[in-house]
Amino acid sequence: MMGHQAEKLEELVASSIKETPKKSKKTRFIAITSGKGGVGKSTISSNLAYVLAERGLNVGIFDADIGLANLDIMFNVTIKKNILHVLKGEASVSDILIPITRNLILIPGESGDEILKYSDRALFERFMQEAKILDKLDVMIIDTGAGIGEHIQMFVDAADDVIVVTVPDPAAITDAYATIKTIATVRNDIGMIMNQVKSDREAKGVFEKIQKVARANIESDLELSLIGKINSDMKVSNAVKQRALFCSLYPSSSPTRDMQQIANNVASKLERNVLVTSNESGLSGLFRRLMEHF
């Protein structure tokens, strides 16, 4: 079913490629996912996007968890329409983009299977043309849904980097491992962020347990790396209750320092000032990547 839908959309993607595409900076796509809900995935996604933008990077954050979309709460904004409205011709790309800070744009998304149901050529070509306004993004964070559903796999396949978020809870760890095992069937590099931990020691201990089980049971050259950790702190939950980012509300807190270190690790992978065709950048570049995997 999804393969058939993807074929239709792939034809539209191919037809929208221009003969002389302009050059643009390469966007690095980072998918942030989790094995289960409630582990702080969207909190981490939104705060990481904010910190990277504060450093002067052009950042887009794509809300691909439409069933439980909550980035509007994280950023304290109101979302009226999302990318599916654009694909249906009910809005333009600029209509749905929500500026958060000078360098940070929220892109309200839709689940992958809903996107793939779309197949109108004229409207899709307009969408791809309008999407070029995001070609200058340095990084796009894709906040996926939790679990290992087919549409989540779609975004994971298309990303440059995949980060799995978990907490030191037995059920969450089990679900995180199951997610890693599934992702390992299509890629061998996966990062992890340990959230709500008491210390560096606890974060490393949980990570090493998952790494040990993965090495023993996953038949691939899997490179599992610890991107960082976020200490358990009431300031994080307080910020969420206030519909604010903890990195903005509490810039000197321990969780913010942790997020700064995570941002350091993420930023070190960014390919700055690399010129590529605009077909590979921004929102239109994401759609082209999605089609390459189906």
Side-chain angles (χ1 to χ4, degrees), residues 257-276:
R257 291 194 298 272
D258 290 337
M259 184 57 73
Q260 293 284 359
Q261 185 57 54
I262 290 171
N264 288 342
N265 294 335
V266 169
S268 67
K269 292 186 175 183
L270 297 180
E271 297 178 29
R272 297 300 306 276
N273 301 320
V274 175
L275 293 181
V276 296

Side-chain angles (χ1 to χ4, degrees), residues 118-135:
Y118 171 81
S119 62
D120 185 282
R121 179 178 298 274
L123 291 176
F124 188 79
E125 288 179 349
R126 192 190 77 177
F127 162 75
M128 292 297 274
Q129 189 69 27
E130 291 177 355
K132 290 181 179 179
I133 64 176
L134 293 175
D135 284 353

Side-chain angles (χ1 to χ4, degrees), residues 1 4 24 57 66-67 83 99 115-116 163 167 171 176 179 220 257 270:
M1 179 80 175
H4 177 66
S24 179
L57 294 170
I66 200 66
I83 198 167
I115 291 173
L116 286 176
I163 299 174
V167 296
T179 299
S220 71
R257 291 194 298 272
L270 297 180

Side-chain angles (χ1 to χ4, degrees), residues 30 62 79-81 117 143 156 163 175 238 249 257 285:
I30 303 173
F62 186 89
I79 294 175
K80 296 181 179 179
K81 294 185 177 181
K117 290 176 182 177
D143 186 42
V156 166
I163 299 174
D175 289 337
N238 287 342
L249 199 59
R257 291 194 298 272

